Amino acid sequence: MSFPWAKQYTPSHPFMQWMDEKLPIPRLVYNAVGGGYEVPRNLNYFWNFGFLAGLCLVLQIVTGVIMAMHYAANTAVAFDTIEQTMRDVNWGWLMRYAHANGASAFFVVIYIHIFRGFFYGSYKAPREMVWLLGVVIFLLMMATAFMGYVLPWGQMSFWGAKVITGLFSAIPFIGEPLQQWLLGGFAPDNAALNRFFSLHFLLPFVILGVVILHIWALHIPGSSNPTGVEVKSESDTVPFYPYYVAKDGWAIGAFAILFCAAVFFFPNYLGHPDNYIPANPMSTPAHIVPEWYFWPFYAILRAFTQDFLFIPAKLMGVLAMFGAIIVWFFLPWLDKSPVRSGAYRPLYRKFFWILVLDMLVLFKCGGAPAAEPYVMISQLAALYYFAHFLIIIPIVSAIEKPDPLPFSITEAVLGADEEAKLAPAAAPEA
Amino acid sequence: MAEADGVRRRDFINIAAVSAAGVAGVGVVVPLVSQMSASADVLAASSTEVDISSIQPGQAIKAIFRKQPVFVRNLTPHEIEEANKVDVSSLRDPQTLEERTKEGKENWLITMGVCTHLGCVPLGAGEGEPRGEFGGYFCPCHGSSYDTAARIRKGPAPKNLEVPAYEFSTDTVVKIG
Amino acid sequence: MARILSILVGLFFTVALAWSFGVGFYTWATEPPAPTAEHEFHIKPEEFHFASDGPFGKFDRQQLQRGFQVYKEVCSVCHALRHVAFRDLAALGYNEAEVKAIAKGFQVPVYNPATGEVATREGAATDYFPPVVYGGQGSPPDLSLIAKAREEGPQYVRSLLNGYRDQPAELLKQFPDSKTPDGLHYNPYFANLNLAMPPPLTADGQVTYSDGTKATKEQMATDVAAFLIWTAEPKLEKRKQTGWAVLGFLLFATVLGYMSYRNIWAGKKH
């Protein structure tokens, strides 16, 4: 939303005036990430991760387009073209490592961004649409990352493709034809590799489109903030430029340091050694694990070991894995608490931290071999996961007594006395 | 005065920060651009050895050099004579046959099989292919005719067929590139 | 209404999980999983610091050449190196003539499309290490990427090469069915303990190093492991050097960015 006190775009140069009449892109930028976008002054560093996520998307698209210049989606040569890129192409090793670790960085940033949303209630009205689009982006990211991991055609690529498409065979009646349709064959081969490549190239641009919608939807109510109290007056906000440009700018630097340290010094730390072995359809690796960012959901998938009622365990696992993310779509309507921010919700806050811990446990179990005690632990952790979203959140939001909220962002930042001084300015607005 | 200095110092830091970001941007572009230039395996394969022992006088072969055809032709004495008869100053791209071959090996005419007009492959190296009205090579794309020293004589091509760098490793093996 | 529905769905998943957990726990408590020989006797690779390890690591060219010699004289009988071209060996410190000479020592296959036959010719610098036809038991893996394709790859290679020993009596006492099958060889560093590869390094001095280094079994294993780090990641040195330049600049730029941020927000409480 453009608050009444937001600065207006007033081009002074004749060319910019002409541009503003014909194609007002500078105005759009000014109002989106420039001086015309008023943002709460009290955002903490967790609010930098949205911007960083956008940066990761750009990084992945740029390095990805370059990888595609040197890659061939053919099972006979796919593995070799990647190796050739690493060895012979100028800076090819950098492009490859930046792209592979870029995917990990993207997920690190996105998980922090999502959990920021959980804690501060960013999904609540009036920002439900922002949240829904965000979950769509996350699903698209997972699909893109999964297909990208198949492309090098290493052992984990192949068996990952086989196992994940195998999930669809759990669906009653249409499962097996569906899996065959997805793969274009009975097992992953050229047809699958080629379509995965095609979609892996396409989906990031779809993500980019949804990201634009996500930002658009965000700009209607404006950014949320750590108090969860809506913006009331001019003293609550600062213009995005220069304030948050400077803050995001130095955050990019900090992010780049960590990212480059990984790319240049530990480029294979997050990868799996087996993916440096060319795909072999005749021999399965000792334990198949997906990339680390899927581990929590992989743990949920594997947690269902027993048929339940009339539903086979395999189908339950698939339902639960997808359900674990689908449930996020309903979050704005499951959490009825009028208070947005976890900072003022003592009971919710405790469960939030249990959820964080729970996710870490699921993470650990998903990366571990499917053996005891990991399976039992993951069953308890998955149990909490579903209980958290579907049972605890609705109940907590009904029974909790929230802490008193500050009157405004300004009061939260400056204290009540200063707010009193500024109050007259706010009065007409109220 | 102190106030003004403070302001100037602050501006300086902001400018320095933005400049550093600019330098970083340029630094990122360097690998993004240079990744497109020829890779190490392509550069490594940039010389070719050709066995010429089986080429009879009057015959020619096409070899591959840097992914492009190269013509290796064993000229007959008659062809050499014909090439030497031409008044060099009358040519579009004046060169003698001597300048286009190695000393003592004037019968070995080694040229790129790439028309200097727009890069088609001229005819005349393969058996039975037309050699054009000057007995050398003939480019079917736009009708450029080359003589027995592969010099441009007629048609739109501006230059003689290019002679790549080469040397005779032995009497029967030529190393091109 | 939405709340009741949500709680019902929640109960569906949690009860299903509780059921799975209950059955799993009962099975685990009544029939605890039997220990396996692999679980009890497998050993993690011995720790070892290679010259190329760590953020400042650099290849020791002499060692790489020695490692290459071990590969060539011992490993290359069974193991290929398909991602490495002879020209790449220049990075080990060989000059052009030496690279050519090494290439000539290998026969590379050439397919003749006219006859459909595969003949061989002497290798050239631009050729890759040729495939190795292996007739025996097992399937020797290509070694180009082995240092990256195993957990702690270089340490693993080094430990494995000299890790052969007789099967411990204790193992057989505990797991009488786990006797190493004929034709396999006991090696506790190998994941399932029994390896098709016979001990490749059999005696000190198996190769003769031209630089005078004494070719003990341990030295040869270390050298060839170092060489395989290089084959797996020939750009390792460049990567680390670039990394330091990039990090140094980023640190400088980020500090500037932070100061600029502090500047802009000066006087603005938040």
Side-chain angles (χ1 to χ4, degrees), chain C residues 4-221:
Chain C
I4 292 167
L5 209 64
S6 146
I7 291 172
L8 285 177
V9 175
L11 283 173
F12 171 72
F13 282 112
T14 46
V15 171
L17 280 162
W19 171 242
S20 282
F21 172 77
V23 174
F25 184 79
Y26 179 79
T27 319
W28 180 72
T30 51
E31 308 159 36
T36 60
E38 294 96 70
H39 192 261
E40 303 284 309
F41 286 88
H42 178 250
I43 314 178
K44 288 205 139 231
E46 202 182 310
E47 298 229 350
F48 188 80
H49 184 87
F50 288 93
S52 55
D53 285 354
F56 295 101
K58 280 189 157 199
F59 289 123
D60 171 352
R61 296 285 184 297
Q62 279 302 314
Q63 182 175 44
L64 296 190
Q65 293 199 6
R66 292 196 302 269
F68 171 60
Q69 195 186 344
V70 175
Y71 166 77
K72 198 175 123 188
E73 293 178 20
V74 182
C75 319
S76 72
V77 181
C78 308
H79 294 275
L81 210 53
R82 57 193 285 260
H83 294 293
V84 182
F86 296 113
R87 63 184 154 84
D88 295 333
L89 294 173
L92 267 52
Y94 293 114
N95 63 33
E96 208 184 315
E98 286 170 323
V99 169
K100 269 193 176 169
I102 292 167
K104 269 197 177 159
F106 285 83
Q107 291 290 314
V108 298
V110 250
Y111 173 75
N112 184 340
T115 61
E117 280 167 8
V118 179
T120 57
R121 61 166 169 79
E122 283 177 353
T126 48
D127 289 318
Y128 286 78
F129 277 81
V132 174
V133 183
Y134 178 77
Q137 191 186 1
S139 46
D142 185 275
L143 291 185
S144 330
L145 283 163
I146 206 81
K148 289 203 283 192
R150 298 286 183 276
E151 297 278 358
E152 299 176 66
Q155 285 79 4
Y156 167 79
V157 169
R158 182 177 171 275
S159 298
L160 187 83
L161 286 177
N162 283 321
Y164 293 88
R165 57 196 71 168
D166 292 331
Q167 211 170 10
E170 203 183 321
L171 188 152
L172 288 176
K173 207 162 66 185
Q174 226 176 317
F175 305 99
D177 297 340
S178 298
K179 192 173 161 28
T180 300
D182 284 344
L184 299 187
H185 309 268
Y186 183 80
N187 191 326
Y189 295 103
F190 192 64
N192 73 10
L193 306 179
N194 299 309
L195 176 58
M197 172 167 77
L201 302 174
T202 48
D204 290 351
Q206 192 172 346
V207 302
T208 310
Y209 287 140
S210 58
D211 66 358
T213 307
K214 200 162 174 299
T216 60
K217 280 165 67 177
E218 191 183 335
Q219 184 69 43
M220 290 187 286

Side-chain angles (χ1 to χ4, degrees), chain A residues 13-87:
Chain A
H13 194 276
F15 173 75
M16 295 311 274
Q17 286 170 354
W18 181 83
M19 194 67 188
D20 194 41
E21 269 173 40
K22 311 298 171 193
L23 187 67
I25 287 178
R27 174 180 294 273
L28 185 77
V29 171
Y30 185 85
N31 288 332
V33 290
Y37 182 48
E38 289 286 337
V39 188
R41 65 192 292 175
N42 60 335
L43 302 188
N44 59 31
Y45 279 109
F46 286 109
W47 263 261
N48 287 89
F49 286 86
F51 191 90
L52 289 177
L55 181 78
C56 287
L57 179 61
V58 172
L59 170 80
Q60 287 306 82
I61 288 180
V62 170
T63 52
V65 166
I66 285 170
M67 286 308 291
M69 290 182 190
H70 304 287
Y71 174 75
N74 181 307
T75 54
V77 296
F79 188 91
D80 294 0
T81 59
I82 299 274
E83 268 312 306
Q84 200 247 345
T85 307
M86 298 273 288
R87 286 159 193 266

Side-chain angles (χ1 to χ4, degrees), chain A residues 62-63 66 69-70 84 87-92 94-95, chain B residues 28 30-42:
Chain A
V62 170
T63 52
I66 285 170
M69 290 182 190
H70 304 287
Q84 200 247 345
R87 286 159 193 266
D88 286 336
V89 170
N90 301 292
W91 299 101
L94 178 58
M95 298 300 139
Chain B
V28 168
V30 169
L32 298 188
V33 171
S34 89
Q35 54 88 18
M36 293 227 303
S37 59
S39 57
D41 55 324
V42 172

